[in-house]
Amino acid sequence: MSELLSRRALLRRTALGAAALLALEACGSGPRGPGAARALDIWVWQDAADSVQQAAVDRFNAAGAGRARLNRVPGDGYEDKLRVAMGSSRAPDVFFNWGGASVKEYADAGKLLDLTPVLRANAAFRRSFLPSVLQAGMVGDKYVGIPMRGTQPVLLFLNEAVFADAGVRPPRTWDDLLALVGTFTERGVTPFALAGANAWAELMWLEYLVDRFGGPGVFERVKNGDVRGWHDPAVLRAAQAVEDLLDRGAFGNSFSAVSYNAGGASALLSRGRAAMQLMGSWEYANQLAADPAFARDGLGWTTFPAVPDGRGDPEAVVGNPNNFWSVSADVRDRATAIAFLKTAAEDAYAEDLVARGAVPTTTDAAALLDRSADPAFARFQYDLVEQAPTFTVSWDQALPSAQATAMLTAVQKLFAGQVRPAEFVDALTALPRG
Amino acid sequence: MLWAVPALLFFAVFALAPLGIVAYLSFTSWDGLGAPTWVGGANWSRLLADRDLRDAAWHSLVLTVATWAFQTPVALLLGVWSAGRQRSRAVVSAVFLLPLLLSSAAVALVWKSLLDPNFGLVAELAPRLGFDDASWFSTPEGALTAVLFVLGWQFIPLHALLYQGGARQVPDVLHQAAAMDGAGTARRFWSITLPQLRNTVVASSVLMVVGSLTFFDTVLILTAGGPGTATTIVPLVAYRTGFEGFEMGYASAIAFALVLVATGISLLLVRVTGFGRMHSTREGL
Amino acid sequence: MSPARRVRRPNVVALGVLGWLVVVAVPVYAVVVSSVRRREDYLDGGPLALPDAVTADNYLHALRSGFPGYLLNSTLVALGVVALVLVLAVPAAYAIVRSGSRVSARTLRVFLLGLAIPAQAVIVPVFLLVSQLGLYDTLLAVILPTAAFCLPVCVLVLTTAMRDVPEEMYEAMALDGSGPARALVRLVLPLSRHGIATAAVYSALQAWNGFLFPLVLTQSESTRVLPLGLYDFQDEYGTDVPGLLAAVVLSVLPVLVACLFARRALVSGLVGAGGK
């Protein structure tokens, strides 16, 4: 009710006509939606992998512990819609998100259910998830998220046939990578497919480069609210490396019109018109859905190479530790929501994830990996994440939304050649404080 | 007069009152979750100093002027031509009208796939027309041109219809008299048709200008403002600031400034051209 | 060149018209042809080539992925908007035309003011209002603001149409002892039916094509309207451009059918206030 009152106060203070006030008073006393009889409203990011969540909902409904409805929300604008809904009277009961930083604003506004008591009361439930990943679903000292998909490190994907034709091997070092750029551009193949219409796809390059040049501490400092962290020399060097790649034609000359959600970048890779793509591990599932033959036989992968004089560990990983379910604070039926969260720890759920090429972050997932659609890929990811000294969360997920939006604009300008690296760094330090 | 009250009330609640709230929100800081806090003129001074917004205003201006310069002659040509009563002209005009049947979302999505530099129509046409590839559309100038063209493709039929209607109201007597004086088609167009279409030109121009300043669905889907910020226009900045950055206060300041400018320009156009009554317009067009 | 016969004269116009014909027809051709191709053929063969094999799968797939539901929602929204607009705008226009000049001019000016308010400028408060009303993510959430933003044009169109009703006919009605309500039903409605049709078609199209209000004010699949459905297909389909284009073609069909039945009203509705 406090939210309602404050909004009413807002409207009083505005010099509105009597008519508007009248109408709004009427709204305040109007019905606030039906009661607990409704099914649990669950939002998930719509993509090729959401059949796993649909199966979980189906099993949950069949078991009779409660009723749930899965709402598959289109990915482009998922966060915007979620925010809008969270600010309205129709917040989803349970929703997909990227963990701690991505829901911090909701938690701060008191819109999330604290799951700490649930995990504390259920040791078996808590122990079924890898502790480090469960931790990525925390805001402050509270658990607000339950891991619900596979881990999603960003990897360097490649088209093996294109590599074989050129007689070259995947890059281990930055010099290797630059040499490959030369080789492929000469052969008329775009070295890297880049979905330049999506700023987050461009951002991945900077996330890895900053991590390799300066280690995870650079972004950690920014994330903790110190914008001067952007002045670290590693950020400038990363931006210069991007500019160098652009000058060498590493991304071709039409990347800015290529969209990831529309599948453009992945098609370039699978059709052999590009040799590599830096992308989250979900690329595999998307290729599997769009072009199964290529996903099984033609798709290769490797880690992001080391850079000269880099202070970061070449085994460090960036990306999304996992996705999470969070529960809205004004959930209509708390018990049903918590019962549903437990489906994420079930064996059947993990098996579905594995069958989809994902690597679950449940404790006993390792044993399931051989049953994966591609055991080699699953094993590679699992080992990578397990051995990585750090797992830096995607910057746009880790920063408050106002800052993230401005940062993505700056990134797009850098890749479009509208700003030089030094100006890019200046733009970052001038980001609005969320 | 009582009969107008329900409509007025409804309009006030869903259009005028929101505009008042926008004015109020422009003096607050609000993230969409909690309550707005009063920040005085902070958003407005930020607005004046915002370089990205200034770039966007420049793009909006360029797009508006170019839209007018591109759409008006083509629409005039098509409209006047199709005003002829010949059967063949009616059939061809029906083809011209096809883009009007598509929603903005459909137009933008269709052109997004046609303009795809790797798999689209332009990728196929470019080599045949002597270009190396279709990457020009990924340059800032190319993308802005693409936006201009797609908006033209979408809206020229509408303006052509306006001109067609106008041209059909030009009395035939005038043309017959001029023809007897030996005036050719071109001369008759300049000295009879065009002056007679003056009101239509003004109405169409106001529509185009206000439309180009405020319309953004097509740009959002087609280029999302890219490459970089090359096609980012003011309404897109307002939308992004509000619904991606969730700085609702600042977004409201941008939106309100946009309303002021659009209203000012359309009033100015109407006043300058001495066109007393706006004949028609479409919201968001 | 013979000065007597200016053979080249009409060519500028003809070339211009022909040029635009190509500009419109080629994309339309590419859309239709691509929508019946398989995805692989499209990626390898490009959008222009005639397909080796024609397939209806894209259409079937679009029909299976929620399209009929979107169609129903769009139709409901369009009907709702038209009904609401007519119920509000017809009496309003009648009042403006029939009452004292100062008040009516002022009323009209209030609506004209609305012409310059773009929908996205007020989207934040409209969203607030709708969520306070408990209407977020319902079709009514789209109908109400869309109808409000149709009112200015429709009131303008209807006042123009009703002004054309001759004064003597009102006087004749008054002599018969008819009140204003009777005059509206018996006299004004029949005589301004073209204006009413224009307003109805205009509102229907605004509702049918509206993008921003549904984008912000609705969410779930059960309230998705066509333009939004298309926008979302884009994500769902990935590089399946043929699938997307098939959905576009399907979304045009209802308008095309309506067009065949009511071309004149549709055209004047498109122009907004053109129907004279």
Side-chain angles (χ1 to χ4, degrees):
Chain A
M1 272 323 270
S2 68
E3 185 208 343
L4 195 69
L5 286 172
S6 67
R7 210 157 275 163
R8 238 183 235 170
L10 174 177
L11 290 161
R12 288 254 166 73
R13 268 181 279 152
T14 52
L16 293 182
L21 270 178
L22 203 72
L24 283 156
E25 295 297 340
C27 325
S29 55
R32 303 276 293 164
R38 281 176 54 140
L40 204 62
D41 185 22
I42 302 169
W43 284 22
V44 71
W45 167 283
Q46 170 183 307
D47 66 4
D50 61 22
S51 58
V52 177
Q53 283 76 44
Q54 185 62 56
V57 167
D58 292 345
R59 277 195 302 272
F60 182 74
N61 287 337
R67 230 155 43 79
R69 223 184 105 255
L70 191 69
N71 193 349
R72 299 157 66 240
V73 181
D76 218 3
Y78 175 85
E79 293 147 280
D80 321 347
K81 286 181 178 166
L82 178 65
R83 177 66 164 250
V84 166
M86 292 297 281
S88 81
S89 55
R90 289 228 180 172
D93 296 310
V94 177
F95 64 92
F96 167 103
N97 61 70
W98 289 264
S102 75
V103 291
K104 183 170 185 303
E105 287 162 277
Y106 300 136
D108 292 348
K111 300 237 168 217
L112 294 187
L113 188 68
D114 182 3
L115 299 174
T116 316
V118 179
L119 287 163
R120 197 171 289 148
N122 270 284
F125 182 47
R126 189 181 73 237
R127 276 198 301 269
S128 51
F129 301 104
L130 292 177
S132 62
V133 176
L134 200 55
Q135 212 170 345
M138 291 179 85
V139 171
D141 55 357
K142 288 178 182 158
Y143 289 97
V144 292
I146 299 297
M148 49 70 72
R149 276 197 171 177
T151 185
Q152 297 143 20
V154 173
L155 308 169
L156 195 53
F157 285 92
L158 39 102
N159 183 321
E160 287 184 334
V162 172
F163 269 73
D165 285 349
V168 289
R169 301 169 54 77
R172 302 298 315 163
T173 66
W174 194 249
D175 288 337
D176 290 352
L177 184 143
L178 293 181
L180 285 175
V181 168
T183 311
F184 287 123
T185 43
E186 270 169 40
R187 296 173 62 89
V189 174
T190 304
F192 295 98
L194 175 63
N198 304 101
W200 55 260
E202 296 173 334
L203 182 66
M204 288 174 170
W205 282 92
L206 288 161
E207 288 166 354
Y208 256 126
L209 283 166
V210 167
D211 194 83
R212 291 286 186 268
F213 277 120
V218 179
F219 180 69
E220 192 66 25
R221 192 174 155 197
V222 174
K223 197 177 88 177
N224 293 332
D226 184 0
V227 286
R228 284 168 306 170
W230 292 119
H231 274 308
D232 192 288
V235 180
L236 183 64
R237 286 180 72 186
Q240 284 164 339
V242 165
E243 193 180 48
D244 179 42
L245 287 175
L246 288 165
D247 290 344
R248 293 168 188 258
F251 306 112
N253 47 13
S254 57
F255 62 87
S256 69
V258 176
S259 143
Y260 188 79
N261 299 54
S266 304
L268 285 176
L269 186 68
S270 68
R271 301 272 133 183
R273 289 170 56 174
M276 295 171 268
Q277 181 183 204
L278 186 65
M279 190 39 69
S281 60
W282 56 82
E283 169 74 1
Y284 182 90
N286 285 339
Q287 292 284 8
L288 195 64
D291 197 341
F294 172 72
R296 274 191 291 271
D297 304 325
L299 185 64
W301 50 83
T302 184
T303 51
F304 195 86
V307 298
D309 310 324
R311 292 193 5 226
D313 189 324
E315 293 201 332
V317 174
V318 308
N320 303 323
N322 202 338
N323 296 116
F324 298 83
W325 289 130
S326 289
V327 181
S328 169
D330 50 1
V331 54
R332 279 180 286 263
D333 183 350
R334 190 175 292 197
T336 310
I338 289 165
F340 176 75
L341 292 184
K342 293 189 176 158
T343 61
E346 288 170 359
D347 287 344
Y349 191 81
E351 282 165 21
D352 279 357
L353 283 173
V354 167
R356 273 278 171 187
V359 175
T361 53
T362 42
T363 2
D364 45 8
L368 295 171
L369 294 181
D370 287 336
R371 281 190 255 164
S372 166
D374 190 328
F377 181 61
R379 187 64 65 189
F380 171 79
Q381 278 186 85
Y382 195 82
D383 293 347
L384 181 74
V385 172
E386 204 189 19
Q387 286 157 23
T390 54
F391 197 143
T392 298
V393 180
S394 306
W395 294 357
D396 52 338
Q397 301 299 344
L399 294 177
S401 44
Q403 269 187 48
T405 306
M407 174 188 68
L408 290 172
T409 304
V411 169
Q412 289 214 294
K413 283 175 142 182
L414 176 72
F415 275 81
Q418 285 178 316
V419 294
R420 300 291 315 275
E423 296 168 287
F424 171 70
V425 173
D426 289 343
L428 290 180
T429 49
L431 293 184
R433 319 254 176 136
Chain B
M1 210 47 226
L2 275 178
W3 292 26
V5 170
L8 273 175
L9 214 59
F10 186 74
F11 187 63
V13 169
F14 282 98
L16 299 181
L19 195 63
I21 301 181
V22 167
Y24 165 73
L25 284 177
S26 73
F27 294 99
T28 68
S29 165
W30 186 41
D31 66 358
L33 290 177
T37 49
W38 184 265
V39 294
N43 290 323
W44 289 94
S45 49
R46 178 175 163 197
L47 182 138
L48 294 175
D50 189 335
R51 276 182 55 195
D52 284 340
L53 187 64
R54 208 176 309 156
D55 286 351
W58 173 246
H59 299 143
S60 278
L61 184 72
V62 169
L63 199 64
T64 304
V65 173
T67 289
W68 188 85
F70 167 49
Q71 295 192 8
T72 301
V74 181
L76 195 56
L77 176 86
L78 296 178
V80 172
W81 181 82
S82 62
R85 305 274 175 186
Q86 294 91 327
R87 181 123 193 92
S88 61
R89 294 193 178 187
V91 173
V92 175
S93 312
V95 177
F96 287 152
L97 294 186
L98 280 175
L100 277 180
L101 303 184
L102 276 74
S103 59
S104 299
V107 168
L109 287 169
V110 162
W111 278 104
K112 193 177 179 179
S113 46
L114 293 178
L115 290 172
D116 184 309
N118 295 303
F119 301 106
L121 180 65
V122 290
E124 205 180 342
L125 287 182
R128 299 185 192 188
L129 298 175
F131 298 96
D132 289 341
D133 55 33
S135 60
W136 182 74
F137 288 104
S138 309
T139 63
E141 305 80 39
L144 202 61
T145 312
V147 168
L148 179 72
F149 171 77
V150 173
L151 286 175
W153 195 83
Q154 183 178 3
F155 289 119
I156 279 177
L158 178 80
H159 295 281
L161 268 182
L162 279 176
Y163 284 118
Q164 185 197 47
R168 281 190 176 157
Q169 286 182 344
V170 177
D172 282 342
V173 207
L174 291 178
H175 282 291
Q176 286 155 5
M180 278 209 273
D181 289 346
T185 319
R187 214 182 131 64
R188 271 185 286 158
F189 174 78
W190 288 111
S191 54
I192 296 174
T193 315
L194 200 55
Q196 288 282 322
L197 284 177
R198 216 172 119 264
N199 283 347
T200 318
V201 173
V202 175
S204 155
S205 301
V206 170
L207 270 181
M208 273 181 202
V209 169
V210 175
S212 320
L213 284 175
T214 58
F215 189 75
F216 83 113
D217 301 6
T218 310
V219 179
L220 176 72
I221 301 177
L222 192 67
T223 66
T229 53
T231 57
T232 301
I233 51 178
V234 177
L236 192 60
V237 176
Y239 177 78
R240 284 254 167 89
T241 310
F243 285 92
E244 285 176 23
F246 296 104
E247 296 181 87
M248 299 287 193
Y250 187 45
S252 298
I254 300 175
F256 198 71
L258 191 66
V259 174
L260 290 181
V261 171
T263 313
I265 289 183
S266 53
L267 286 180
L268 195 74
L269 273 178
V270 169
R271 185 85 24 110
V272 165
T273 51
F275 185 74
R277 224 182 53 192
M278 257 194 285
H279 254 304
S280 69
T281 193
R282 277 176 70 191
E283 165 265 314
L285 182 100
Chain C
M1 188 174 71
S2 153
R5 293 194 59 80
R6 288 177 292 172
V7 221
R8 281 173 42 202
R9 183 176 35 76
N11 286 5
V12 185
V13 175
L15 271 181
V17 171
L18 198 69
W20 196 253
L21 194 65
V22 170
V23 164
V24 172
V26 169
V28 170
Y29 164 83
V31 166
V32 174
V33 167
S34 304
S35 71
V36 294
R37 310 181 73 177
R38 293 185 311 136
R39 176 180 173 275
E40 298 77 33
D41 298 345
Y42 178 83
L43 285 179
D44 294 332
L48 275 186
L50 275 170
D52 310 322
V54 172
T55 171
D57 286 354
N58 300 319
Y59 287 91
L60 294 176
H61 181 84
L63 286 173
R64 271 195 303 264
S65 22
F67 191 89
Y70 307 158
L71 184 70
L72 180 68
N73 286 338
S74 271
T75 311
L76 289 175
V77 168
L79 290 178
V81 168
V82 170
L84 194 57
V85 164
L86 291 185
V87 163
L88 292 172
V90 167
Y94 181 59
I96 289 170
V97 171
R98 290 305 298 159
S99 66
S101 60
R102 287 249 323 269
V103 189
S104 77
R106 236 172 244 167
T107 311
L108 190 60
R109 208 167 300 149
V110 170
F111 283 112
L112 288 181
L113 185 73
L115 288 177
I117 305 179
Q120 77 268 16
V122 297
I123 191 70
V124 172
V126 166
F127 162 69
L128 267 181
L129 192 61
V130 157
S131 59
Q132 282 297 294
L133 286 165
L135 293 177
Y136 177 73
D137 201 18
T138 63
L139 290 182
L140 212 52
V142 181
I143 293 175
L144 296 179
T146 307
F149 277 84
C150 285
L151 276 181
V153 169
C154 291
V155 169
L156 191 66
V157 169
L158 290 170
T159 43
T160 314
M162 289 179 190
R163 282 221 170 92
D164 291 344
V165 178
E167 185 63 31
E168 304 84 62
M169 298 185 78
Y170 286 112
E171 285 161 10
M173 289 290 280
L175 280 178
D176 288 350
S178 309
R182 214 172 135 75
L184 175 65
V185 175
R186 296 274 308 276
L187 175 69
V188 179
L189 288 189
L191 284 181
S192 53
R193 61 181 187 278
H194 284 302
I196 293 174
T198 303
V201 170
Y202 171 81
S203 318
L205 282 169
Q206 289 293 312
W208 187 264
N209 291 339
F211 180 73
L212 188 66
F213 285 135
L215 177 72
V216 176
L217 302 176
T218 67
Q219 170 40 57
S220 51
E221 184 146 5
S222 58
T223 54
R224 209 166 287 169
V225 293
L226 265 181
L228 217 49
L230 290 178
Y231 184 56
D232 297 340
F233 269 141
Q234 180 192 221
D235 283 348
E236 190 176 339
Y237 276 38
T239 30
D240 190 3
V241 175
L244 177 69
L245 295 180
V248 168
V249 173
L250 280 179
S251 78
V252 176
L253 285 182
V255 191
L256 199 64
V257 171
C259 195
L260 291 177
F261 282 106
R263 182 163 181 275
R264 183 169 298 260
L266 193 71
V267 163
S268 50
L270 285 167
V271 180
K276 291 217 169 134

